[in-house]
mmCIF file of all heavy atoms in Angstrom:
data_model
loop_
_atom_site.group_PDB
_atom_site.id
_atom_site.type_symbol
_atom_site.label_atom_id
_atom_site.label_comp_id
_atom_site.label_asym_id
_atom_site.label_seq_id
_atom_site.Cartn_x
_atom_site.Cartn_y
_atom_site.Cartn_z
ATOM 1 N N PHE A 493 100.856 103.742 113.983
ATOM 2 C CA PHE A 493 101.849 103.639 112.904
ATOM 3 C C PHE A 493 101.735 104.826 111.936
ATOM 4 O O PHE A 493 102.734 105.458 111.576
ATOM 5 C CB PHE A 493 101.644 102.323 112.141
ATOM 6 C CG PHE A 493 102.389 102.252 110.839
ATOM 7 C CD1 PHE A 493 103.744 101.945 110.803
ATOM 8 C CD2 PHE A 493 101.744 102.513 109.632
ATOM 9 C CE1 PHE A 493 104.438 101.901 109.599
ATOM 10 C CE2 PHE A 493 102.430 102.475 108.423
ATOM 11 C CZ PHE A 493 103.783 102.166 108.412
ATOM 12 N N ILE A 494 100.515 105.110 111.493
ATOM 13 C CA ILE A 494 100.306 106.184 110.517
ATOM 14 C C ILE A 494 100.710 107.538 111.089
ATOM 15 O O ILE A 494 101.440 108.315 110.463
ATOM 16 C CB ILE A 494 98.815 106.222 110.079
ATOM 17 C CG1 ILE A 494 98.470 104.994 109.234
ATOM 18 C CG2 ILE A 494 98.477 107.511 109.338
ATOM 19 C CD1 ILE A 494 99.176 104.933 107.900
ATOM 20 N N GLU A 495 100.246 107.823 112.279
ATOM 21 C CA GLU A 495 100.423 109.179 112.806
ATOM 22 C C GLU A 495 101.844 109.434 113.336
ATOM 23 O O GLU A 495 102.311 110.559 113.328
ATOM 24 C CB GLU A 495 99.353 109.478 113.856
ATOM 25 C CG GLU A 495 97.919 109.398 113.294
ATOM 26 C CD GLU A 495 97.668 110.372 112.147
ATOM 27 O OE1 GLU A 495 98.063 111.539 112.256
ATOM 28 O OE2 GLU A 495 97.072 109.955 111.130
ATOM 29 N N GLN A 496 102.542 108.364 113.796
ATOM 30 C CA GLN A 496 103.942 108.595 114.140
ATOM 31 C C GLN A 496 104.737 108.907 112.879
ATOM 32 O O GLN A 496 105.725 109.637 112.909
ATOM 33 C CB GLN A 496 104.565 107.437 114.930
ATOM 34 C CG GLN A 496 104.582 106.092 114.219
ATOM 35 C CD GLN A 496 105.724 105.922 113.242
ATOM 36 O OE1 GLN A 496 106.790 106.443 113.476
ATOM 37 N NE2 GLN A 496 105.487 105.198 112.178
ATOM 38 N N GLY A 497 104.302 108.372 111.735
ATOM 39 C CA GLY A 497 104.954 108.693 110.461
ATOM 40 C C GLY A 497 104.854 110.180 110.171
ATOM 41 O O GLY A 497 105.844 110.830 109.817
ATOM 42 N N GLY A 498 103.666 110.743 110.345
ATOM 43 C CA GLY A 498 103.464 112.180 110.134
ATOM 44 C C GLY A 498 104.277 113.003 111.119
ATOM 45 O O GLY A 498 104.816 114.054 110.783
ATOM 46 N N SER A 499 104.380 112.501 112.350
ATOM 47 C CA SER A 499 105.127 113.211 113.398
ATOM 48 C C SER A 499 106.590 113.389 113.017
ATOM 49 O O SER A 499 107.203 114.404 113.333
ATOM 50 C CB SER A 499 105.076 112.430 114.723
ATOM 51 O OG SER A 499 103.765 112.360 115.197
ATOM 52 N N SER A 500 107.163 112.385 112.355
ATOM 53 C CA SER A 500 108.560 112.476 111.917
ATOM 54 C C SER A 500 108.693 113.177 110.568
ATOM 55 O O SER A 500 109.670 113.880 110.327
ATOM 56 C CB SER A 500 109.159 111.062 111.787
ATOM 57 O OG SER A 500 109.659 110.626 113.027
ATOM 58 N N LEU A 501 107.692 112.957 109.704
ATOM 59 C CA LEU A 501 107.796 113.482 108.337
ATOM 60 C C LEU A 501 107.902 115.013 108.313
ATOM 61 O O LEU A 501 108.771 115.572 107.626
ATOM 62 C CB LEU A 501 106.575 113.030 107.514
ATOM 63 C CG LEU A 501 106.537 113.543 106.074
ATOM 64 C CD1 LEU A 501 107.698 112.945 105.257
ATOM 65 C CD2 LEU A 501 105.194 113.206 105.417
ATOM 66 N N TYR A 502 107.026 115.693 109.042
ATOM 67 C CA TYR A 502 107.001 117.162 108.948
ATOM 68 C C TYR A 502 108.294 117.819 109.451
ATOM 69 O O TYR A 502 108.865 118.670 108.751
ATOM 70 C CB TYR A 502 105.749 117.725 109.627
ATOM 71 C CG TYR A 502 104.550 117.686 108.705
ATOM 72 C CD1 TYR A 502 103.689 116.602 108.682
ATOM 73 C CD2 TYR A 502 104.306 118.729 107.825
ATOM 74 C CE1 TYR A 502 102.601 116.551 107.808
ATOM 75 C CE2 TYR A 502 103.222 118.704 106.945
ATOM 76 C CZ TYR A 502 102.377 117.607 106.944
ATOM 77 O OH TYR A 502 101.321 117.570 106.077
ATOM 78 N N PRO A 503 108.786 117.442 110.645
ATOM 79 C CA PRO A 503 110.065 118.062 111.056
ATOM 80 C C PRO A 503 111.229 117.697 110.133
ATOM 81 O O PRO A 503 112.173 118.482 109.997
ATOM 82 C CB PRO A 503 110.299 117.539 112.478
ATOM 83 C CG PRO A 503 109.336 116.435 112.679
ATOM 84 C CD PRO A 503 108.218 116.625 111.718
ATOM 85 N N THR A 504 111.146 116.529 109.513
ATOM 86 C CA THR A 504 112.220 116.145 108.587
ATOM 87 C C THR A 504 112.162 117.015 107.334
ATOM 88 O O THR A 504 113.156 117.611 106.921
ATOM 89 C CB THR A 504 112.101 114.648 108.215
ATOM 90 O OG1 THR A 504 112.053 113.882 109.418
ATOM 91 C CG2 THR A 504 113.284 114.196 107.372
ATOM 92 N N LEU A 505 110.973 117.119 106.727
ATOM 93 C CA LEU A 505 110.830 117.928 105.512
ATOM 94 C C LEU A 505 111.118 119.406 105.794
ATOM 95 O O LEU A 505 111.671 120.114 104.946
ATOM 96 C CB LEU A 505 109.419 117.784 104.940
ATOM 97 C CG LEU A 505 109.035 116.411 104.367
ATOM 98 C CD1 LEU A 505 107.611 116.453 103.827
ATOM 99 C CD2 LEU A 505 110.006 115.965 103.276
ATOM 100 N N ALA A 506 110.747 119.864 106.984
ATOM 101 C CA ALA A 506 110.895 121.290 107.310
ATOM 102 C C ALA A 506 112.352 121.745 107.189
ATOM 103 O O ALA A 506 112.626 122.899 106.864
ATOM 104 C CB ALA A 506 110.369 121.566 108.720
ATOM 105 N N GLN A 507 113.272 120.826 107.423
ATOM 106 C CA GLN A 507 114.696 121.194 107.357
ATOM 107 C C GLN A 507 115.145 121.539 105.941
ATOM 108 O O GLN A 507 116.190 122.153 105.744
ATOM 109 C CB GLN A 507 115.552 120.042 107.888
ATOM 110 C CG GLN A 507 115.322 119.776 109.361
ATOM 111 C CD GLN A 507 115.919 118.452 109.777
ATOM 112 O OE1 GLN A 507 117.127 118.290 109.761
ATOM 113 N NE2 GLN A 507 115.078 117.501 110.128
ATOM 114 N N GLY A 508 114.339 121.136 104.928
ATOM 115 C CA GLY A 508 114.680 121.461 103.551
ATOM 116 C C GLY A 508 113.968 122.698 103.038
ATOM 117 O O GLY A 508 114.209 123.129 101.906
ATOM 118 N N ALA A 509 113.079 123.283 103.853
ATOM 119 C CA ALA A 509 112.285 124.425 103.389
ATOM 120 C C ALA A 509 113.124 125.697 103.345
ATOM 121 O O ALA A 509 114.027 125.885 104.163
ATOM 122 C CB ALA A 509 111.088 124.625 104.308
ATOM 123 N N THR A 510 112.810 126.569 102.400
ATOM 124 C CA THR A 510 113.532 127.836 102.239
ATOM 125 C C THR A 510 112.690 129.011 102.722
ATOM 126 O O THR A 510 113.118 129.803 103.541
ATOM 127 C CB THR A 510 113.911 128.037 100.758
ATOM 128 O OG1 THR A 510 114.782 126.976 100.384
ATOM 129 C CG2 THR A 510 114.600 129.374 100.543
ATOM 130 N N ASN A 511 111.465 129.081 102.200
ATOM 131 C CA ASN A 511 110.586 130.199 102.525
ATOM 132 C C ASN A 511 110.091 130.067 103.976
ATOM 133 O O ASN A 511 109.648 128.997 104.386
ATOM 134 C CB ASN A 511 109.397 130.162 101.540
ATOM 135 C CG ASN A 511 108.473 131.342 101.710
ATOM 136 O OD1 ASN A 511 107.834 131.477 102.747
ATOM 137 N ND2 ASN A 511 108.390 132.185 100.692
ATOM 138 N N LEU A 512 110.169 131.170 104.732
ATOM 139 C CA LEU A 512 109.789 131.108 106.149
ATOM 140 C C LEU A 512 108.321 130.768 106.331
ATOM 141 O O LEU A 512 107.937 130.134 107.304
ATOM 142 C CB LEU A 512 110.098 132.437 106.832
ATOM 143 C CG LEU A 512 111.525 132.609 107.330
ATOM 144 C CD1 LEU A 512 111.671 133.956 108.039
ATOM 145 C CD2 LEU A 512 111.914 131.470 108.281
ATOM 146 N N GLU A 513 107.492 131.200 105.378
ATOM 147 C CA GLU A 513 106.074 130.890 105.511
ATOM 148 C C GLU A 513 105.815 129.400 105.265
ATOM 149 O O GLU A 513 104.975 128.788 105.926
ATOM 150 C CB GLU A 513 105.250 131.735 104.538
ATOM 151 C CG GLU A 513 103.774 131.626 104.819
ATOM 152 C CD GLU A 513 102.984 132.563 103.920
ATOM 153 O OE1 GLU A 513 102.876 132.280 102.715
ATOM 154 O OE2 GLU A 513 102.510 133.577 104.437
#
Side-chain angles (χ1 to χ4, degrees):
F493 167 80
I494 291 294
E495 300 301 315
Q496 60 82 33
S499 296
S500 274
L501 178 66
Y502 277 92
T504 306
L505 292 181
Q507 295 167 66
T510 298
N511 185 295
L512 275 182
E513 190 175 72

